[in-house]
Amino acid sequence: MAIDPQFERSRDHTADHDGHAVWGPVEEPEVLGIHGTHVAVDFDACIADGACLEDCPVDVFDWVDTPGHPESERKADPARENQCIDCMLCVDVCPVDAIDVDPGRENRL
Ligand code: F3S
Ligand code: F3S
Ligand code: ZN
């Protein structure tokens, strides 16, 4: 299922990871939530396609290993969401619409 762009309202900021917010629910290893706020990746939708890592011009994403997740065993983590220049390439190329970027949404940390 595609990421819910209204996640700030529909979810709670339940944890932090590597300098960005995690929006729950999280029940590892099967349910991982959404990582990031300005650049948000729904880990439960991501199938590790990798196009976002290849195409982002400012290298916002890193792989993180997620062994035991039903969709894929690694995810695109928005490790440098503060560097995003809102080009929207990642949103366009993700085959499962796992990413939402909103220029008006600030990193919560
Ligand atoms: Fe990169 Fe996506 Fe921002 S491609 S520049 S993280 S909109
Ligand atoms: Fe995952 Fe989509 Fe990137 S499937 S690795 S968020 S292109
Ligand atoms: Zn993360």
Side-chain angles (χ1 to χ4, degrees):
M1 202 167 68
I3 188 170
D4 172 11
Q6 304 300 321
F7 65 87
E8 281 179 301
R9 265 170 265 173
S10 60
R11 295 172 178 248
D12 292 323
H13 176 184
T14 54
D16 301 318
H17 174 240
D18 201 13
H20 52 261
V22 178
W23 302 84
V26 174
E27 287 173 42
E28 295 179 355
E30 293 92 357
V31 182
L32 299 175
I34 290 175
H35 282 231
T37 306
H38 180 95
V39 180
V41 181
D42 189 334
F43 273 25
D44 297 306
C46 174
I47 57 170
D49 175 85
C52 56
L53 277 97
E54 286 171 25
D55 289 358
C56 178
V58 292
D59 201 21
V60 161
F61 303 99
D62 281 339
W63 287 119
V64 295
D65 291 328
T66 57
H69 190 269
E71 293 295 342
S72 60
E73 302 230 321
R74 61 180 183 168
K75 307 292 178 183
D77 195 37
R80 288 168 294 282
E81 69 173 344
N82 288 337
Q83 294 181 22
C84 172
I85 57 171
D86 301 323
C87 77
M88 301 296 170
L89 267 176
C90 58
V91 175
D92 291 343
V93 296
C94 178
V96 291
D97 293 328
I99 306 178
D100 188 62
V101 175
D102 185 339
R105 212 167 50 211
E106 296 292 331
N107 185 356
R108 287 300 189 88
L109 297 185

